[in-house]
Amino acid sequence: MSILHCQGFLEALAIINGEASDLCASYELQCLPDAPDLATALGLRVEDYALNVIEPARDLPAALWRIEPAPCARTHLESVCQRWFFSSQHMQAAPPGRFRAQLVAAFIDSLDDALGGFSLHAVTMTPPAGFWYAIHWDEIAFELGDERYLLHFSHSD
């Protein structure tokens, strides 16, 4: 399994969870920019996001985002995936129990194959005043040495 496999898995779930709603679901696994540490890498990502994704583009230094990565347990990753994979009314109709657990486990297994050994960090942040990021979101960073990835879930309108 690879990062591309994980990204495909997430893209499919984003389509399914956004299909029956007026909300845009964004589920991504992306490589973070090279940086001396995780907080700096996350800061570079949001600065790039403000300049290149949102219109109109804005120069918003990382310090304005109040980004805080904190180590988290695998159970946090599992609960975040469970919440986002079944966030739409369409997916909430999926049978509870075994089916849902197997879908989350399949994704976690693909993450383990691609990013096994990485440490997990729950990422919290407060975007700058007057700046739109998303209606709600969850982010988890993966780090091993100088290699870093961000698992991003969000809904926007």
Side-chain angles (χ1 to χ4, degrees), residues 25 29 46-47 62 67 77 81 83 85 96 99 106 110 113 118-119 121 124 132 139 141 143-144 155 157:
L29 179 63
V46 294
E47 288 174 354
I67 302 166
L77 171 64
C81 289
R83 180 171 55 250
F85 289 3
F99 172 79
S110 68
D113 288 343
F118 280 63
S119 59
H121 302 268
T124 58
W132 175 255
E139 294 176 325
E143 181 178 43
L144 182 62
H155 282 143
D157 56 2

Side-chain angles (χ1 to χ4, degrees), residues 66-89:
R66 297 186 300 260
I67 302 166
E68 296 181 28
C72 66
R74 182 182 177 96
T75 54
H76 178 71
L77 171 64
E78 292 167 355
S79 69
V80 165
C81 289
Q82 177 76 24
R83 180 171 55 250
W84 284 93
F85 289 3
F86 302 97
S87 64
S88 70
Q89 288 180 347

Side-chain angles (χ1 to χ4, degrees), residues 76 80 83-84 123 136-140 150-154:
H76 178 71
V80 165
R83 180 171 55 250
W84 284 93
V123 179
H136 56 281
W137 65 87
D138 275 304
E139 294 176 325
I140 297 176
L150 183 68
L151 178 60
H152 167 89
F153 295 101
S154 68

